[in-house]
Amino acid sequence: MGKVTVSTERQKAFESLYATHRLEILAYCTRRLGADEAADACSETFLVAWRRIADVPEPPKTLPYLYGIAAKVVPNHFRAMHRRSRLEAILGGLGVPPPPDPSVLVIQDSRNQEVAAAVRRLKPKDREIVMLYTWEELSRETIAEMMGTTRAAIDQRIHRSYRRLARLLAPTLEPNPISPPPIANQGGT
C-alpha cells in the first residue's frame, strides 16, 4: 500500500483545530458518556472533522460545529453501551458490576447527583439544550444555530426546562424562609 500524502496546509489546520478544541470536546463527551467512552467519542469527532476539514467554519462557529458532530457521535456510543449491557445481562453471573452513570464520575456531590438525575428526566432535545447552555456555556444564539432553530425557540425550551427541573427538585429543596425587607419591619412603604 502506498504512502498517504497530506497537504501541509490541511495538516496544520487540523492540528490547530485539535489543539484549540480537544479539551472542550472531550469534556462534552465525558459529561454524556463517562471517561472510558469519552476518549473514543472525542477521537471519532475529530476523525469526522479531519475528513471534512474544508467544511469546518471559522471561529466563532468552529466549536459549535464540533459540538454538532459530537452530538451525532455520542448516540452511537450510547447504542454500543446498550448493546454491551445487553450482552452482559445475557452472560450474567460473571460478578462484574454494571458501569457507573457517567454523571456520577463527573459530579460527586449528592445534591449535584440529584440535579443530574432531574436533568436526565427531561426530554432528550431539552436535556441537550440545557446541557449545552449550562455545562458547555454556549450562548442561546449559538445553540439556536446548532439546532437549526430560532433564538426564541431556544429561550422557550430553556425556560420550560428550568421550570420542570424546579418542579422535579422542589421536594428535595430545603425550605428557605423569606424574611420581609428591613423597611417593611420599620413600618415604611
Side-chain angles (χ1 to χ4, degrees):
M1 200 175 206
K3 184 178 177 182
V4 177
T5 58
V6 177
S7 77
T8 306
E9 185 178 309
R10 181 178 182 198
Q11 185 171 348
K12 285 182 181 180
F14 179 77
E15 288 172 356
S16 174
L17 177 75
Y18 185 78
T20 304
H21 298 295
R22 181 185 66 83
L23 292 178
E24 293 158 316
I25 297 302
L26 182 59
Y28 174 94
C29 295
T30 300
R31 286 190 282 267
R32 286 154 179 83
L33 295 169
D36 294 338
E37 292 289 325
D40 288 342
C42 180
S43 296
E44 198 172 322
T45 299
F46 280 102
L47 176 62
V48 172
W50 167 255
R51 290 178 181 153
R52 298 181 182 166
I53 195 71
D55 299 332
V56 176
E58 293 296 319
K61 295 183 179 189
T62 308
L63 185 58
Y65 177 81
L66 292 172
Y67 282 144
I69 294 171
K72 293 176 181 141
V73 167
V74 166
N76 292 336
H77 283 267
F78 270 124
R79 285 189 287 278
M81 288 169 36
H82 181 68
R83 285 190 299 272
R84 263 194 311 276
S85 68
R86 284 192 322 223
L87 180 59
E88 287 173 1
I90 291 169
L91 296 176
L94 295 178
V96 178
D101 179 0
S103 62
V104 174
L105 296 172
V106 177
I107 303 171
Q108 298 298 325
D109 177 282
S110 65
R111 180 66 183 145
N112 289 336
Q113 289 176 19
E114 291 171 17
V115 172
V119 169
R120 283 192 301 274
R121 292 179 61 188
L122 294 174
K123 293 177 186 175
K125 191 168 188 176
D126 291 341
R127 179 176 51 242
E128 182 65 14
I129 289 169
V130 166
M131 291 169 74
L132 285 169
Y133 183 66
T134 57
W135 287 357
E136 310 310 332
E137 297 179 350
L138 293 180
S139 70
R140 293 173 183 217
E141 292 84 8
T142 302
I143 296 169
E145 187 175 326
M146 279 178 62
M147 298 285 189
T149 189
T150 65
R151 157 76 193 260
I154 296 299
D155 289 345
Q156 186 178 33
R157 281 186 174 271
I158 290 173
H159 177 72
R160 278 188 287 172
S161 296
Y162 279 15
R163 277 197 336 221
R164 174 126 197 259
L165 288 172
R167 283 193 309 273
L168 291 170
L169 294 168
T172 63
L173 295 175
E174 294 179 20
N176 187 9
I178 300 173
S179 54
I183 197 160
N185 291 334
Q186 298 169 2
T189 55

